[in-house]
Amino acid sequence: MKPVIDLDREYGIVLEGGGARGAYQIGAWKALREAGVRISAVAGTSVGALNGAFICMDRLEQAEEIWKNLSFSSVMDVDDIQMRRLFDGELPLKEAVSGILHQLGNGGVDVTPLKELLARYVDEDALRSSPIPLYILTFNMDAFQELELNVRDIEPGMIKDYLLASAYIFPLFKNERINGRKYIDGGAINNVPLGTLIDRGYKDIIMVRIFGPGREKRVKLPEDATVLVVEPRVHLGKFVDFDPRKSVRNMKIGYYDAMRMIYGLKGKIYYIEENREECYYLNQLVNVPDTVKTAVMEAYHTGTETSRWIRRFTEIIAPAAALELKLPAGWNYRDLYLAILEAAAKIYRIPKYQIYTAEELRNRIISRAAPGDADELPAFVRLIVKDEERGGQLL
């Protein structure tokens, strides 16, 4: 595959806050790293600051391993079984509310486990000597002031404290003062630190979105700035649901979403490497057996005279199918073909997290199709399956 982004440039990376959804950022980083994307700086808020530290230390495998094993008790002083019951809706409401109020009454949930995790894995010397500067955001409650800190400028021995300060979710987490001052999660004021890099003159930027709770500041971009975005098209889960299984899933999603951006992959649900001319896709849609033409024309009430197939298809059937598939105005035949392909793949439960060509995905669909399926499927799916012969029978 050939990247569609310029790998001769260096990119600043923006990582927003979002708690447990942060696993997605590690998956995206893995794809960027594999593709040879060079990173000039990282700006992160909350979990974005923590993940940013691993990027600047260049410790991908370590970050992956942490997320693969990250549970509630890895972050907070809580019981994993009780928390799982709470998030699965198995804990009685009265008991859940009582537990939450008790924790808040004691100043919040103790995050000593997270503090110990940072002490174990964050290497301050590696961060200071890294060629990639890390900017982290937190909020000083005493001065009521947002802070953007370059970790290279933080006093010796305090980097881990300020990384933790960036992730103090208020009022959920119990807060420890730093040099007598109280700090909370930077997301309360600025959860997407794009401006941190723009203000420092970075022009080529990749934002990795996880849509965590918090404020997103408006940023005026210079005319010569370019911002590329990696973002999920599925929900990544609750931001405090620290479940290793979900973290593994979110890392996989982040990886393939970054691949979509890097290589210009098509598809809304699937990841499709496809860049042929539009006429190819129109030909694929209209070049079908007469049995399919008749069935599709009948389904769209256009008569069954196959001699009028192409005109009926372009004037009536294609626009109707595009409407069914909720394609935006201005769609073309490539959009339509790939949308039909994805709809059929979803029906046949083809695995999503893999890069396909259109032909590979169609072949996977056909391999799962069975005689008689056509009667139960949307008519437009037959344009993909094409009533292929299987064991002497037509689908």
Side-chain angles (χ1 to χ4, degrees), residues 151-180:
V151 297
R152 294 171 177 171
D153 299 330
I154 295 174
E155 59 190 280
M158 300 299 293
I159 288 179
K160 299 167 191 176
D161 297 274
Y162 281 101
L163 284 171
L164 189 61
S166 181
Y168 275 136
I169 302 173
F170 180 80
L172 178 62
F173 289 170
K174 184 178 289 186
N175 195 291
E176 294 183 14
R177 292 182 178 270
I178 302 175
N179 293 332

Side-chain angles (χ1 to χ4, degrees), residues 239-366:
F239 78 101
V240 288
D241 189 356
F242 294 96
D243 182 335
R245 296 167 302 174
K246 292 178 181 176
S247 293
V248 170
R249 166 187 173 267
N250 287 345
M251 280 193 284
K252 182 182 289 187
I253 297 171
Y255 176 85
Y256 280 99
D257 284 349
M259 294 288 278
R260 186 195 301 280
M261 184 275 293
I262 295 165
Y263 296 103
L265 301 178
K266 305 299 187 293
K268 292 185 177 180
I269 303 171
Y270 290 82
Y271 302 86
I272 307 172
E273 180 191 3
E274 198 68 23
N275 292 292
R276 288 183 255 207
E277 297 294 329
E278 186 180 2
C279 59
Y280 167 83
Y281 303 99
L282 175 58
N283 184 60
Q284 289 294 305
L285 291 167
V286 299
N287 186 19
V288 295
D290 285 348
T291 53
V292 174
K293 294 175 185 176
T294 301
V296 173
M297 292 174 77
E298 188 175 65
Y300 286 96
H301 309 291
T302 65
T304 57
E305 297 178 50
T306 57
S307 61
R308 299 187 178 185
W309 164 245
I310 293 180
R311 182 169 182 176
R312 293 290 188 262
F313 177 82
T314 56
E315 293 180 353
I316 301 173
I317 296 169
L323 191 62
E324 288 180 79
L325 292 162
K326 299 181 180 179
L327 293 182
W331 58 269
N332 59 37
Y333 289 114
R334 180 170 65 185
D335 298 332
L336 180 61
Y337 182 82
L338 294 180
I340 293 173
L341 192 66
E342 288 194 284
K346 188 175 181 181
I347 289 170
Y348 283 106
R349 299 182 181 275
I350 307 300
K352 289 197 310 185
Y353 299 111
Q354 180 178 329
I355 297 174
Y356 300 93
T357 64
E359 191 62 25
E360 287 170 343
L361 189 54
R362 178 176 174 268
N363 288 339
R364 291 289 293 271
I365 293 165
I366 291 171

Side-chain angles (χ1 to χ4, degrees), residues 217-244:
K217 279 188 174 181
R218 289 175 177 257
V219 178
K220 185 176 181 180
L221 297 177
E223 290 185 4
D224 58 346
T226 301
V227 178
L228 306 175
V229 181
V230 177
E231 61 183 20
R233 298 180 181 182
V234 296
H235 193 266
L236 299 178
K238 298 180 178 67
F239 78 101
V240 288
D241 189 356
F242 294 96
D243 182 335

Side-chain angles (χ1 to χ4, degrees), residues 30 47 243:
K30 181 176 182 178
V47 73
D243 182 335

Side-chain angles (χ1 to χ4, degrees), residues 43-61:
T45 298
S46 192
V47 73
L50 306 184
N51 284 334
F54 285 92
I55 292 176
C56 293
M57 293 187 297
D58 195 25
R59 296 184 181 177
L60 173 62
E61 293 78 12

